[in-house]
Amino acid sequence: MDRKRSILVIGGGTAGWLTAAHLAKFLDLSGHGHLEITLLESPDIGIIGVGEGTFPTIRETLKFLGIDEAQFIRSTSATFKQGIRFTDWVRTPENGAHSHFFHPFEAPFYADGANLAAYWLLQDEKSRPPFAEAVTIQNRVADARRAPKRPHEGDFGGPLNYAYHFDAASLARVLAARGKELGVRHIEDRLRSVELDADGAIDHVLTDGHGELRADLYIDCSGFRAELIGNAMQAPFKSVRTSLFTNRALACKIPYDRPDAPLESFTVAAAHEAGWTWDIGLAGARGIGCVYSSDHIDDDRAAEILAGYIGPRDVEITPRKIPFEPGYRELQWVKNCVAVGLSAGFLEPLESTGVVLIEAAVGMIAELFPHNGPIDAPAKRFNELMTGRYENIVTFLKLHYCLSQRQEPFWRDNTQANSIPDRLAGLLDQWRYRPPGRFDFILDLESFAFFNYQYILYGMEFKTDLGPARSDFPNVAAAERIFARIRNFGERATHDLPSHRALIQQINAQDERLLAV
């Protein structure tokens, strides 16, 4: 008879329920009686829901879990996300004039024999279109407030790459329902203490109403509290504030002025004097938050910036204050305990990496799960991969800051050499003479591809000088034809695709029709 293996997930929310549901599906929990997954969730602890945006990987995750896309959208007030618009990151606005660039999810158009990045770089800087507009149709589609797909196209598919904006608390409920369907045992109770054995591993956890709970593997999804990995296992936390300065956020939701208000299909990240403001359009409200560095402005000034961004309102809005320390635990798997989500680390939600890191961690746990033998056998490899992934995300996020021409102290401090990770500094030195390429990155350690770096690099007006090597790129005419095709495809797509608001309304109306039957 097979030896029983049990997993205890501590904490609910997106991290806990995504972890439990994914493992239940991957391990085929319902078909293996010797496996058991339990999730312990306190009824008193709410969901922070800082980042209500995702990366396109979420589509494969939801599809894997067997969640219907339209039902997910209806249940979580979700909308489509095609990328991020960065406003005023390059320079401080003057006389009401703002600048922006777009980071689309769609990869640049590729054709044999034509490196479009190189040919774009060789064009006249004064007349060429922005990089994202030149190499993909998604820039035009998003600017026109069109959806990334049409109503008849199937779940999680469509002509353009996309993710979602969603209500975090609602997503947790959707994941919880699916996790229970897949066989996850749910206990609502308060964690009282964590007891270790003589070797320093977790022996059991003690709860108020269910007494002792034991498992082979304990997964800490308790958020910033880090009840297991931090408080019990004492895994050290590595701060990255020397590179990423923001450590506070003020968050709120505001209703639309009218039900048919235009709906953006991208996150807005608007730079301000000491950080940036997010603006996320859900189906029924906008999620808005001010991210800032407490070393550069105080809470009152941040509240003024947030209020100024929102503008006059009839109803007073009281934002939630969310303090955080940017960083991560280099040892996220210690003995029989592994951390997932905020307990493992937190980096500002600039590129929606929170859910991405949960997906990466739980995917590795599922693949590496020891069905027999030492439960901590995968720990070394897991820690190497997750540490590398966090380090590379820090590098990617820092890229957004260190090239800015803004003159406020926060932004000037971000350009100081001692705040730029060594790896990023080395890459920037190379990218002065060539664009980022796929061999700059190791896939299993990356959340972002080389073209994601290109979008940020050239959106921030970085200079790559290919002039002396112009003769190495002779296919100018062919490249120009491709650029023209991209423009034509983009114009056609803005006519063929529905408006974002119209598609979301149609999906939500389907639920009303079903209820009426």
Side-chain angles (χ1 to χ4, degrees):
M1 181 177 177
D2 291 335
R3 181 183 181 275
K4 192 176 185 70
R5 280 288 200 193
S6 58
I7 298 170
L8 178 60
V9 180
I10 304 295
T14 299
W17 281 112
L18 179 53
T19 297
H22 189 284
L23 291 176
K25 176 73 172 180
F26 186 91
L27 299 174
D28 188 17
L29 186 61
S30 60
H32 294 85
H34 63 283
L35 294 173
E36 180 181 86
I37 299 175
T38 301
L39 186 143
L40 173 65
E41 182 176 28
S42 171
D44 299 333
I45 298 174
I47 296 170
I48 290 178
V50 172
E52 294 174 332
T54 50
F55 203 63
T57 51
I58 190 65
R59 286 157 52 206
E60 283 302 314
T61 296
L62 295 174
K63 184 177 180 180
F64 172 75
L65 293 176
I67 294 173
D68 176 82
E69 183 179 41
Q71 188 58 50
F72 157 76
I73 289 172
R74 290 191 289 265
S75 298
T76 64
S77 299
T79 58
F80 294 104
K81 175 184 176 184
Q82 300 190 69
I84 304 173
R85 173 181 283 180
F86 291 91
T87 302
D88 296 331
W89 283 71
V90 178
R91 59 185 62 85
T92 307
E94 294 183 1
N95 302 319
H98 297 272
S99 61
H100 67 265
F101 68 91
F102 190 55
H103 175 193
F105 287 148
E106 195 74 8
F109 187 86
Y110 177 79
D112 290 338
N115 179 348
L116 290 186
Y119 286 98
W120 178 84
L121 287 165
L122 289 169
Q123 292 178 340
D124 183 356
E125 289 183 33
K126 297 178 181 178
S127 59
R128 69 189 179 193
F131 180 71
E133 182 180 323
V135 301
T136 174
I137 71 172
Q138 195 159 43
N139 198 131
R140 285 184 179 82
V141 169
D143 274 349
R145 294 178 171 140
R146 314 309 281 182
K149 62 189 297 182
R150 291 160 289 197
H152 65 274
E153 285 161 330
D155 277 10
F156 308 113
L160 292 173
N161 202 8
Y162 64 87
Y164 311 97
H165 298 130
F166 59 85
D167 176 78
S170 298
L171 175 63
R173 288 192 289 269
V174 169
L175 294 171
R178 185 59 181 142
K180 293 171 189 177
E181 290 174 352
L182 292 168
V184 176
R185 178 191 177 202
H186 181 211
I187 296 176
E188 283 195 283
D189 203 347
R190 296 172 183 82
L191 178 70
R192 183 183 300 172
S193 64
V194 181
E195 304 299 327
L196 306 183
D197 63 19
D199 295 326
I202 297 176
D203 183 75
H204 65 271
V205 301
L206 187 63
T207 65
D208 285 348
H210 290 75
E212 296 181 1
L213 297 177
R214 299 176 183 272
D216 293 294
L217 181 65
Y218 297 83
I219 303 181
D220 187 348
C221 297
S222 64
F224 286 135
R225 301 182 311 283
E227 300 281 9
L228 307 187
I229 197 71
N231 296 339
M233 308 304 289
Q234 296 292 300
F237 184 88
K238 179 180 178 179
S239 174
V240 296
R241 279 208 75 206
T242 55
S243 293
L244 300 177
F245 303 152
T246 62
N247 65 335
R248 297 281 189 279
L250 298 175
C252 64
K253 282 185 181 178
I254 63 173
Y256 291 103
D257 295 330
R258 61 182 199 274
D260 62 343
L263 184 60
E264 306 290 7
S265 62
F266 49 76
T267 299
V268 176
H272 61 72
E273 65 191 67
W276 57 280
T277 299
W278 78 74
D279 192 341
I280 287 175
L282 302 177
R286 291 162 61 198
I288 300 177
C290 176
V291 182
Y292 59 101
S293 163
S294 64
D295 289 340
H296 294 86
I297 59 172
D298 60 23
D299 296 341
D300 290 340
R301 176 58 186 150
E304 291 176 359
I305 292 171
L306 180 61
Y309 182 90
I310 294 172
R313 308 293 299 182
D314 294 334
V315 179
E316 184 176 349
I317 296 169
T318 304
R320 283 182 301 143
K321 184 192 299 185
I322 305 167
F324 61 88
E325 181 68 22
Y328 58 92
R329 299 179 198 278
E330 293 177 293
L331 298 178
Q332 297 179 25
W333 190 323
V334 180
K335 298 186 180 295
N336 60 347
C337 173
V338 57
V340 176
L342 298 177
S343 59
F346 180 77
L347 303 174
E348 60 181 280
L350 181 60
E351 287 280 359
S352 300
T353 56
V355 176
V356 170
L357 286 163
I358 295 169
E359 292 172 308
V362 70
M364 277 189 264
I365 294 170
E367 290 275 359
L368 299 173
F369 183 72
H371 292 265
N372 55 59
I375 200 70
D376 63 346
K380 184 175 186 295
R381 184 58 177 155
F382 181 88
N383 289 331
E384 289 172 347
L385 290 172
M386 288 304 296
T387 294
R389 192 170 286 262
Y390 271 93
E391 288 175 346
N392 289 334
I393 290 176
V394 171
T395 293
F396 185 58
L397 296 181
K398 184 63 176 181
L399 182 66
H400 298 63
Y401 291 102
C402 67
L403 302 178
S404 179
Q405 300 169 37
R406 294 183 67 122
Q407 295 303 309
E408 298 95 332
F410 170 84
W411 296 94
R412 290 302 87 213
D413 289 348
N414 264 292
T415 65
Q416 297 301 307
N418 61 2
S419 77
I420 301 174
D422 290 342
R423 180 168 179 269
L424 177 57
L427 288 171
L428 289 171
D429 285 342
Q430 295 183 56
W431 293 340
R432 298 184 194 285
Y433 308 103
R434 65 167 177 86
R438 64 190 181 94
F439 294 110
D440 288 323
F441 308 100
I442 300 172
L443 184 61
D444 285 338
L445 298 179
E446 293 290 345
S447 298
F448 300 96
F450 70 92
F451 55 82
N452 298 115
Y453 282 78
Q454 290 179 352
Y455 288 133
I456 304 304
L457 197 72
Y458 300 126
M460 294 296 296
E461 301 183 1
F462 183 82
K463 309 297 183 185
T464 297
D465 184 10
L466 293 182
R470 185 176 294 272
S471 61
D472 294 340
F473 301 94
N475 300 319
V476 175
E480 289 296 338
R481 287 194 294 271
I482 295 171
F483 286 131
R485 286 173 60 195
I486 293 171
R487 287 194 298 272
N488 291 334
F489 288 157
E491 291 170 3
R492 187 185 310 167
T494 61
H495 289 94
D496 292 346
L497 291 166
S499 80
H500 187 206
R501 171 66 76 183
L503 181 57
I504 293 299
Q505 287 178 334
Q506 183 171 342
I507 292 171
N508 288 328
Q510 290 171 0
D511 191 45
E512 295 174 3
R513 289 196 294 269
L514 290 173
L515 292 174
V517 174

